[in-house]
Amino acid sequence: MRVYVAGTGRCLPPDVLTNADFARMVDTSDEWIVGHTGIRTRHIARTMKNVDMAEAAARAAMENAGCTPADIDMVVVSTVTPDRMYPALACDLQNRLDLPDVFCMDVSAACSGFIYAVDVAARRILTGGARTALVVASEKLTATVDYTDRTTCILFGDGAGAAVLRGDEKEGGGWLGSFLAARGDDGAALHCMPGGQLKMEGHEVFRFAVRVMPEAIEKLLGSTGHVISDCKFVIPHQANLRIIRAVQRRYALPEEKVVVTVDRYGNMSSACIPIALDELNQAGRLEPGDLLLMVGFGAGLTYGAALFEWGE
Ligand code: ACO
């Protein structure tokens, strides 16, 4: 049996904050922000709740997959910014989409969350617990951002990405595996208290990211027997263009293989990777047999990578 991506979708809320907007709010400049992060704009959910974005992305992915609510027998939502502490956003989403009484839960693994959520869904499908899973990563990070702190406020945006994963009896292809890990003793480097604001030691997270992304890539590819040059695209978590370029340089990857959205959307935590995936899919840039490597890191501190072979 295998699990493949049957459809993808995304939602970016309509309001946009530019670097010029931040220069009016705090002591910063377009030159500093672009030079240190690569970010130019980010979308902000002023009126949309997290579940509104999750619903829009999920509906787009279901339409792309050609499936109806009755087909979905599992929902996993990755979020660290739910509208309420509980119930799970996945249950709200189930209600919005009129899904039957199926498995619904949230995953809290911050920016690595989509890779974690895919792992949960893929393994449940492979062990016979579900056939068609809706995996959504939806984040309203700006609800936790301190807009007086120039060192963090410029980094984050809101958005949601979704994928429908389907199992069938064909051999090979689809989800080829993942490597997932966390280092809780570094947890203080990036955290948010209930109802509070995001706190980050930027340097520490930066160093962690540059160290663990290659570790995740090598452990994953070592377990699947692939090499990075086999991959058509690498989709890294989008926290900072300098982190992305460090990974690209380490493996001497051509620029066109490494997907970048951070310039337009900033860091949307776990939503970054599925939004980038949907952009590739909707632009018709994916062909059957293409290998896609996703790699991320985030609060936890968590990290991980996943490998897919595209195609039905
Ligand atoms: N505008 C102007 N100056 C600024 C700004 C700003 N927006 N922010 C910081 N500065 C200043 C600092 O105060 C400092 O000034 P000083 O030298 O007088 O003290 C100077 O610029 C340099 O600051 P650094 O912190 O050294 O800047 P750096 O180049 O390291 O960039 C950044 C900081 C962008 C936060 C970087 O460390 C980073 O990207 N870290 C990783 C962040 C990350 O990946 N987070 C993951 C979050 S994921 C999740 O799970 C939510």
Side-chain angles (χ1 to χ4, degrees):
M1 197 173 176
R2 60 156 195 171
V3 177
Y4 66 95
V5 179
T8 62
R10 68 180 183 274
C11 169
L12 290 156
D15 288 309
V16 171
L17 278 181
T18 65
N19 292 347
D21 294 327
F22 280 98
R24 284 187 285 273
M25 290 156 58
V26 289
D27 181 13
T28 192
S29 64
D30 178 57
E31 192 188 4
W32 192 97
I33 299 172
V34 173
H36 287 250
T37 71
I39 301 168
R40 293 177 187 276
T41 53
R42 44 323 252 148
H43 289 248
I44 307 291
R46 281 196 210 284
T47 54
M48 294 179 94
K49 293 193 292 181
N50 189 331
V51 70
D52 298 325
M53 295 188 288
E55 179 185 352
R59 286 190 187 280
M62 287 167 64
E63 191 183 333
N64 185 236
C67 73
T68 66
D71 297 326
I72 303 290
D73 50 14
M74 174 176 191
V75 182
V76 190
V77 174
S78 161
T79 190
V80 287
T81 50
D83 299 312
R84 300 181 287 188
M85 283 181 71
Y86 56 87
L89 188 61
C91 298
D92 279 345
L93 183 60
Q94 174 205 27
N95 184 36
R96 289 280 186 98
L97 297 173
D98 255 330
L99 303 183
D101 288 8
V102 296
F103 177 119
C104 291
M105 76 166 194
D106 288 358
V107 163
S108 174
C111 307
S112 318
F114 182 71
I115 300 172
Y116 268 77
V118 162
D119 185 278
V120 171
R123 290 184 196 279
R124 189 168 165 85
I125 293 171
L126 289 173
T127 52
R131 191 77 177 176
T132 308
L134 178 60
V135 181
V136 181
S138 189
E139 302 284 4
K140 187 170 169 169
L141 276 175
T142 61
T144 68
V145 166
D146 175 358
Y147 281 100
T148 64
D149 176 8
R150 69 175 182 173
T151 65
T152 56
C153 70
I154 51 128
L155 298 170
F156 299 101
D158 301 324
V164 172
L165 299 188
R166 194 179 282 145
D168 68 14
E169 271 66 43
K170 287 192 191 152
E171 286 275 319
W175 178 77
L176 301 179
S178 51
F179 167 80
L180 299 169
R183 199 158 302 155
D185 54 355
D186 288 332
L190 179 52
H191 70 275
C192 182
M193 301 301 284
Q197 290 177 322
L198 178 154
K199 304 282 177 214
M200 183 173 74
E201 300 293 337
H203 283 206
E204 209 174 307
V205 179
F206 196 103
R207 276 197 302 274
F208 177 82
V210 172
R211 186 160 39 95
V212 299
M213 298 241 280
E215 183 186 327
I217 290 171
E218 283 156 32
K219 289 209 165 126
L220 169 65
L221 295 181
S223 73
T224 65
H226 295 84
V227 289
I228 200 164
S229 55
D230 294 340
C231 298
K232 171 89 174 279
F233 291 111
V234 176
I235 309 179
H237 173 50
Q238 307 282 318
N240 185 319
L241 189 58
R242 285 155 54 210
I243 298 175
I244 296 170
R245 293 292 177 230
V247 172
Q248 181 188 335
R249 277 195 304 274
R250 185 183 175 114
Y251 295 106
L253 294 168
E255 209 169 292
E256 63 273 14
K257 276 199 175 190
V258 181
V259 181
V260 172
T261 64
V262 69
D263 52 336
R264 291 170 289 145
Y265 306 144
N267 182 351
M268 302 169 291
S269 189
S270 64
C272 290
I273 289 177
I275 286 174
L277 176 67
D278 184 55
E279 288 199 341
L280 291 175
N281 185 22
Q282 301 304 335
R285 298 179 67 196
L286 301 176
E287 287 165 23
D290 284 348
L291 284 181
L292 307 176
L293 175 66
M294 302 168 187
V295 57
F297 63 92
L301 297 173
T302 60
Y303 58 111
L307 188 67
F308 277 93
E309 184 182 319
W310 190 255
E312 300 210 351

